[in-house]
């Protein structure tokens, strides 16, 4: 205690005494940060180092740093790193209570502690903190010290630094904080636990009132501004506004590090995500999952060029960070059937062709329909719309299950595809991301899709390190099969199992999917330029009751897509490549008689090749 007071006295003496020798400052260590932004530039996540770069005070409204100075250290701009009167008061309290209790630390001392020391409340640590504070003041300007401080302090909920706190609690950059918002954040400094803006809202508001009073006393704001600020009611986000995007950021983080290695400087990753649409999807996923006990949900949306616009991997990333959208492999149920029916359509089948919904047995396996009944003679289109299992099983057997597997792989299914008879009903294990990628082929007019999330990688200073190459349009599905596929999948929403996914004014198509034991429920669909899949299931793979793809998943899909069509460029489902030209008709006798004789044409008995079929 005596040593602490003595040190303070010597340091406070100023120019009348020679400046004491102080220990050299340890280097300020800070790991590189990787900041992920959505398609509009909004921050959706940060990975890597805990601390942001030092805050540039010139980029903040004056009332933001003023709020912290007013409540934490109103003599900050005048002192040399410490407040002798405050230290003396803290020492007296410590002596009477037998332990260090009262802080009286200046902002510079707090920074010294955050940079170099532990949080132990000992006089020895306090003395070292004081010496480092003075050394900081000799080494850096006041603005630099305040900027470092605002980048390092903890605001609760995992938010270190003013920028992270502004994004976490108010969903805005620190440069747009209001006076009341700044006061609320400054109020947290006394205790991130006891003055948490969400969990201790009343205490935080009471503390903010003291901050506003201090700002008036220090001249940072006028009484009128104080009254106006107090009357405002800032929206505080109970859950992080970018919470759903954390599944997407997790998915990209490994890819980022494969591209750039271990970063040595701050990076900005420009992604394909639409953060506002992501929030709509998370809301829809939570609502959908509530339809069954302990159910989880996932949502993926991919545009026609493969850009992932939405990736919700679950309903609560903080509690369950496992990404069901990209990593889970679940049975697709009838959402798989488009691969069966596309194979048939490419083999020459047509939507109006007659089929029969009746009992069928294939290799000692007899599929059943959802409603246990049979429709008898129906059209191919009706079989798709009503999701008749018997018809799908028979069609897959006729066209060849190996061919169906090849179709699925061509459209983007990377998981191992089984080829037993039940594969026609979606027993293959796939991820929602794979399924969305495959359906996006229908959405873009029949071209191959490779889903991706990173557009560009640059340093925080703007140097470009990576640019994704432009999408190459490679047709893999042609007409008439593509047009017929779109036709039968439109009927699912207009007159089939997916009517609850429909909404007016847009060209929509899709397919429901439900596994036989209700462990998985899907809806996958698309409009022109955008495909999306929704999935529901339990992590323990237990049944969900009678949840079907045409219920909660279809409503989830409707919620996501009805928001997406207002934010993303969509259109009618494109027709795709024109149908191949038919071969020319055989020549009539009269044409043969009138044909000129060039003398070197083969005669009727020669082995001339037939005309090309296009």
């Amino acid at each position: 205690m005596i040593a602490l007071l003595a040190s303070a006295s010597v340091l406070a003496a100023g120019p009348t005494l020679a400046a004491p020798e102080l220990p050299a400052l340890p280097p300020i260590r800070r790991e590189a940060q990787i900041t992920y932004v959505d398609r509009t530039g909004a921050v959706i996540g940060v990975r890597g180092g805990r601390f942001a770069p030092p805050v540039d005070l010139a980029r903040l409204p004056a009332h933001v740093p003023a709020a912290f100075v007013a409540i934490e250290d109103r003599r900050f701009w005048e002192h040399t790193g410490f407040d002798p009167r405050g230290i003396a008061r803290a020492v007296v309290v410590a002596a009477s209570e037998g332990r260090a209790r009262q802080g009286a630390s200046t902002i510079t001392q707090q920074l010294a502690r955050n940079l170099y020391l532990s949080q132990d409340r000992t006089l020895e640590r306090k003395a070292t903190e004081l010496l480092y504070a003075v050394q900081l003041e000799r080494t850096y300007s006041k603005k630099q010290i305040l900027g470092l401080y605002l980048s390092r302090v903890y605001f609760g909920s995992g938010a270190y630094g003013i920028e992270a706190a502004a994004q976490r609690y108010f969903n805005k950059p620190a440069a747009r904080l209001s006076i009341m918002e700044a006061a609320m954040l400054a109020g947290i400094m006394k205790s991130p636990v006891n003055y948490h803006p969400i969990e201790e809202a009343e205490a935080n508001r009471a503390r903010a009132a003291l901050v506003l009073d201090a700002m008036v006393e220090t001249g940072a704001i006028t009484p009128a501004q104080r009254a106006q600020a107090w009357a405002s009611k800032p929206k505080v986000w109970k859950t992080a506004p970018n919470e759903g995007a954390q599944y997407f950021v997790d998915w990209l983080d490994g890819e980022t590090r494969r591209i750039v290695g271990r970063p040595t400087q701050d990076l900005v990753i420009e992604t394909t995500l639409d953060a506002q649409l992501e929030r709509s999807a998370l809301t829809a996923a939570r609502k959908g999952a509530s339809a069954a006990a302990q159910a989880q949900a996932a949502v993926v949306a991919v545009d026609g060029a493969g850009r992932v616009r939405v990736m919700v991997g679950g309903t609560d990333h903080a509690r369950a960070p496992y990404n069901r959208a990209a990593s889970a492999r679940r049975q697709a149920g009838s959402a798989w059937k488009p691969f069966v029916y596309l194979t048939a359509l490419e083999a020459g089948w047509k939507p109006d062709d007659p089929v029969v919904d009746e009992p069928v047995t294939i290799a000692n396996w007899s599929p059943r329909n959802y409603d246990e009944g049979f429709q008898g003679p129906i059209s191919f289109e009706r079989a798709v719309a009503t999701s008749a299992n018997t018809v799908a099983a028979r069609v897959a057997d006729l066209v060849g299950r190996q061919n169906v597997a090849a179709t699925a792989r061509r459209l983007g299914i990377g998981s191992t595809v089984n080829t037993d008879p039940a594969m026609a009903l979606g027993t293959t294990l796939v991820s929602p991301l794979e399924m969305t990628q495959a359906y996006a082929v229908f959405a873009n007019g029949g071209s191959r899709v490779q889903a991706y999330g990173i557009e560009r990688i640059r340093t925080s200073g703007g140097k470009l390190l990576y640019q994704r190459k432009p999408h190459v349009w490679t047709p893999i599905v042609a007409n008439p099969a593509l047009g017929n596929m779109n036709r039968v999948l439109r009927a699912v929403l207009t007159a089939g199992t997916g009517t609850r996914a429909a909404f007016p004014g847009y060209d929509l198509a899709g397919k429901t999917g439900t596994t036989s034991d209700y462990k998985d429920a899907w809806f996958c669909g698309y409009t022109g330029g955008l495909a999306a899949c929704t999935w529901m299931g339990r992590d323990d793979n237990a049944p969900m009751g009678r949840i079907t793809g045409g219920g909660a998943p279809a409503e989830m899909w409707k919620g996501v897509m009805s928001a997406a069509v207002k934010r993303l460029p969509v259109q009618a489902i494109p027709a795709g490549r024109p149908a191949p030209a038919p071969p020319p008709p055989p020549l009539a006798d009269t044409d043969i008689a009138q044909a000129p004789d060039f003398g070197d044409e083969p005669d009727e008995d020669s082995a001339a090749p037939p005309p090309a079929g296009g």
Side-chain angles (χ1 to χ4, degrees):
M1 291 183 290
I2 296 174
L4 182 60
L5 284 171
S7 297
S9 299
V10 171
L11 292 169
T16 59
L17 294 176
E21 289 294 326
L22 298 178
L25 289 174
I28 297 176
R29 301 189 183 280
R30 179 182 164 273
E31 293 182 10
Q33 277 193 346
I34 302 176
T35 300
Y36 292 84
V37 299
D38 83 337
R39 63 191 290 262
T40 69
V43 175
I44 57 174
V46 177
R47 296 292 185 270
R50 172 184 293 177
F51 304 114
V55 172
D56 182 354
L57 298 187
R59 295 175 178 243
L60 295 178
H63 59 255
V64 174
F68 290 83
V69 169
I71 197 65
E72 289 294 302
D73 183 8
R74 65 176 59 188
R75 294 184 59 248
F76 171 74
W77 298 104
E78 291 80 34
H79 65 59
T80 59
F82 66 97
D83 180 356
R85 287 173 294 181
I87 291 175
R89 185 171 57 251
V91 170
V92 170
V93 172
S96 64
E97 297 190 8
R99 62 191 177 98
R101 176 178 175 85
Q102 204 169 57
S105 293
T106 64
I107 282 177
T108 314
Q109 287 176 265
Q110 293 179 52
L111 176 61
R113 186 190 320 141
N114 285 336
L115 288 174
Y116 309 120
L117 304 171
S118 71
Q119 299 298 318
D120 295 338
R121 290 179 177 270
T122 65
L123 291 176
E124 290 77 13
R125 193 271 293 159
K126 195 74 175 176
T128 306
E129 172 189 297
L130 185 151
L131 295 176
Y132 279 156
V134 174
Q135 190 73 305
L136 281 170
E137 293 270 353
R138 293 178 177 180
T139 306
Y140 300 101
S141 71
K142 287 286 188 178
K143 288 185 177 181
Q144 287 175 317
I145 289 170
L146 188 53
L148 267 169
Y149 169 82
L150 289 175
S151 72
R152 292 253 171 173
V153 287
Y154 183 57
F155 290 87
S157 293
Y160 286 86
I162 187 71
E163 188 64 39
Q167 296 285 353
R168 168 60 187 87
Y169 296 119
F170 304 116
N171 192 30
K172 62 172 62 172
R176 290 174 46 210
L177 287 170
S178 69
I179 293 175
M180 185 60 184
E181 290 165 344
M184 292 171 68
L185 293 182
I188 299 174
M189 294 298 93
K190 186 174 179 65
S191 171
V193 173
N194 296 328
Y195 296 96
H196 194 280
I198 300 166
E199 297 172 6
E200 301 293 340
E202 289 303 316
N204 177 265
R205 184 167 173 81
R207 181 69 178 169
L210 296 179
V211 175
L212 293 174
D213 291 341
M215 293 176 74
V216 173
E217 292 169 6
T218 57
I221 59 174
T222 65
Q225 288 175 308
R226 192 250 186 241
Q228 185 178 19
W230 181 250
S232 66
K233 304 291 183 182
K235 177 183 178 180
V236 179
W237 291 69
K238 292 185 177 180
T239 58
N242 56 15
E243 179 188 357
Q246 299 318 299
Y247 293 104
F248 176 74
V249 174
D250 288 347
W251 177 61
L252 290 187
D253 204 44
E255 177 67 14
T256 297
R257 295 172 193 277
R258 280 192 293 273
I259 295 172
V260 300
R262 184 185 179 124
T264 58
Q265 55 187 322
D266 292 340
L267 301 180
V268 177
I269 315 300
E270 299 178 16
T271 78
T272 60
L273 198 79
D274 186 304
Q276 185 169 326
L277 184 55
E278 179 87 359
R279 288 194 289 272
S280 298
L282 178 59
T283 298
R286 286 173 170 167
K287 181 178 179 181
S290 68
Q294 300 181 50
Q296 270 291 348
V299 183
V300 181
V302 176
D303 73 12
R307 292 178 282 253
V308 176
R309 299 303 195 184
V310 167
M311 180 181 282
V312 174
T315 57
D316 190 332
H317 182 272
R319 294 184 179 181
Y322 176 61
N323 190 341
R324 298 153 191 85
S327 301
R329 296 294 188 275
R330 308 288 292 231
Q331 289 188 358
S334 295
W336 180 268
K337 288 177 182 175
F339 308 138
V340 175
Y341 290 125
L342 177 61
T343 307
L345 292 169
E346 290 182 326
W349 293 48
K350 296 179 176 58
D352 295 323
D353 284 348
V355 295
V356 182
D357 179 11
E358 62 183 356
V360 61
T361 298
I362 302 170
N364 297 319
W365 171 68
S366 300
R368 295 178 300 171
N369 290 327
Y370 171 73
D371 59 7
E372 304 290 342
F374 303 98
Q375 301 173 79
I378 55 176
S379 69
F380 182 101
E381 179 177 298
R382 178 67 179 167
V384 178
T386 59
S387 202
N389 288 338
T390 60
V391 175
R394 189 190 299 273
V395 170
D397 192 53
L398 290 172
V399 301
R401 290 184 293 277
Q402 290 288 355
N403 292 329
V404 174
T407 297
R409 286 192 288 267
R410 174 167 34 112
L411 267 64
I413 300 298
S415 297
T416 302
V417 179
N418 65 37
T419 55
D420 59 41
M423 72 90 76
L425 307 188
T427 56
T428 292
L429 302 179
V430 290
S431 71
L433 179 60
E434 284 178 288
M435 291 293 286
T436 312
Q437 180 175 270
Y439 273 72
V441 174
F442 303 139
N444 73 10
S447 292
R448 186 186 309 279
V449 173
Q450 178 61 56
Y452 72 95
I454 298 176
E455 294 281 15
R456 280 170 292 277
I457 299 177
R458 56 180 170 83
T459 67
S460 58
K463 181 181 178 181
L464 186 66
L465 302 180
Y466 167 84
Q467 169 78 55
R468 185 174 177 86
K469 294 179 180 178
H471 177 70
V472 177
W473 296 91
T474 306
I476 58 173
V477 182
N479 282 310
L482 178 62
N484 287 332
M485 188 82 254
N486 291 333
R487 171 183 161 181
V488 299
L489 292 181
R490 285 186 182 103
V492 173
L493 278 79
T494 58
T497 58
T499 55
R500 291 170 75 173
F503 55 93
Y506 293 90
D507 189 8
L508 309 173
K511 187 71 188 73
T512 56
T514 311
T515 56
S516 59
D517 48 12
Y518 300 102
K519 292 181 179 179
D520 300 275
W522 299 70
F523 191 90
C524 292
Y526 55 98
T527 188
L530 187 69
C533 283
T534 57
W535 165 86
M536 273 185 62
R538 287 178 49 153
D539 287 340
D540 60 6
N541 212 32
M544 295 185 293
R546 294 183 66 84
I547 297 293
T548 68
E555 292 177 344
M556 287 166 55
W557 189 89
K558 177 180 179 180
V560 174
M561 289 294 282
S562 59
V565 296
K566 298 173 184 177
R567 291 191 54 75
L568 301 174
V570 298
Q571 57 190 356
I573 297 169
R577 287 186 297 165
L587 294 175
D589 290 343
T590 55
D591 293 330
I592 295 174
Q594 296 172 358
D597 183 4
F598 292 104
D600 56 356
E601 290 290 315
D603 59 33
E604 289 184 292
D605 296 327
S606 67

